Amino acid sequence: MFTAATLSIHPGRSVFFYYETVTLSCTVPGNFSSWTVKRNTSTRSSVSCETWGQLNGSSCTIKGVYPSDSGVYWCESDSRECSNTINITVTTGVILQGPAVPLTEGDSVTLNCSYKEKYAKESTSNFSTAFYRNGTFFEKKPAGRLSLIHVSKENEAFYKCVHPTKGQSPEVWLEVRENNIPVTTPDPDPDPTPPIALPKLLSTILLFILYTCILILAVYTYRKWAQARAEAERKWPDHL
């Protein structure tokens, strides 16, 4: 039975600054060797890791990403089966760090707005940040972090952040998948004397009515017979 690979990324986000190191890994239970990481970029399509990264088993590492590394990445097997995809964007200035893979309903996530000059060593999030969802102002935070607790499908949208003086980030897509685990609720405390089921109750009533009718008919028949016998004894005493 075929088992699809899962592509994961470290660090676990989809937007990166210049020169960061990014590792993509294919995971398949019990089988790693037949899968490789491939990508589509603005210049080339379906290119394997050996061309643009450092291959290590089922993983591929890019040391020092550049805008030319922006694109769509996936795992592909020798028989051309494919995994999930991850979109990577490489830029400078302001970025919004969000999850690269879909969330499940009930998960929590923090979107981190960061700013970094092209050749700076460290980024910063210590600035007042405006967050937008699907192009509409959503919320303002004093330190560049937006926490979404117990997400639902309503949180699925494009998000971006705006620095007060340095501009805005590229949009990131936050996908939320339905939680398919069934929710069960405990049964209420059972009644210590549960009521008789309706069909059984109706059967009992009908049987009682039937037995009563038979009894009444028997008593009526006996009385008629007794009256007839008494009448006969009065008319023909010598014949009885």
Side-chain angles (χ1 to χ4, degrees):
M1 181 178 178
F2 170 71
T3 302
T6 299
L7 177 64
S8 60
I9 187 170
H10 181 79
R13 46 191 166 88
S14 59
V15 185
F16 298 91
F17 290 117
Y18 282 46
Y19 314 127
E20 288 192 83
T21 296
V22 179
T23 298
L24 299 111
S25 301
C26 301
T27 302
V28 184
N31 181 9
F32 301 92
S33 59
S34 61
W35 293 81
T36 187
V37 181
K38 290 189 174 184
R39 74 179 189 183
N40 288 342
T41 64
S42 59
T43 57
R44 300 183 66 184
S45 299
S46 194
V47 183
S48 298
C49 171
E50 295 89 338
T51 304
W52 44 265
Q54 296 181 1
L55 182 64
N56 182 16
S58 62
S59 298
C60 190
T61 299
I62 310 173
K63 292 188 175 181
V65 292
Y66 204 71
S68 58
D69 294 305
S70 297
V72 181
Y73 292 72
W74 71 94
C75 301
E76 188 171 311
S77 70
D78 294 340
S79 55
R80 301 185 67 82
E81 273 87 8
C82 298
S83 71
N84 59 302
T85 60
I86 292 179
N87 289 277
I88 291 179
T89 301
V90 181
T91 186
T92 188
V94 182
I95 70 169
L96 182 60
Q97 299 174 352
V101 296
L103 300 173
T104 300
E105 286 183 317
D107 290 346
S108 298
V109 66
T110 297
L111 303 180
N112 186 37
C113 190
S114 298
Y115 171 74
K116 182 182 178 183
E117 295 288 354
K118 184 174 181 179
Y119 297 107
K121 291 183 178 181
E122 301 292 337
S123 63
T124 179
S125 296
N126 189 25
F127 52 86
S128 176
T129 308
F131 289 91
Y132 288 75
R133 181 170 64 188
N134 289 335
T136 303
F137 175 76
F138 177 61
E139 195 167 349
K140 193 169 185 177
K141 291 291 185 179
R145 291 177 178 83
L146 175 65
S147 294
L148 302 175
I149 308 300
H150 304 313
V151 298
S152 66
K153 291 294 286 184
E154 294 181 357
N155 298 113
E156 187 173 82
F158 286 100
Y159 290 81
K160 69 178 179 180
C161 62
V162 179
H163 189 286
T165 60
K166 302 297 184 180
Q168 65 183 22
S169 72
E171 285 188 319
V172 297
W173 171 247
L174 184 68
E175 182 178 353
V176 181
R177 292 180 178 174
E178 293 183 355
N179 189 340
N180 294 320
I181 299 175
V183 178
T184 58
T185 55
D187 294 331
D189 293 336
D191 190 337
T193 56
I196 300 175
L198 183 59
K200 185 176 180 180
L201 179 60
L202 291 175
S203 299
T204 303
I205 293 173
L206 290 174
L207 286 174
F208 176 76
I209 294 173
L210 179 62
Y211 291 152
T212 302
C213 292
I214 292 174
L215 180 61
I216 291 172
L217 180 62
V219 171
Y220 175 78
T221 303
Y222 174 77
R223 285 182 177 179
K224 294 293 289 184
W225 176 83
Q227 290 176 356
R229 181 178 177 82
E231 185 69 25
E233 287 178 350
R234 285 197 298 270
K235 290 182 177 181
W236 303 288
D238 296 336
H239 293 278
L240 299 173

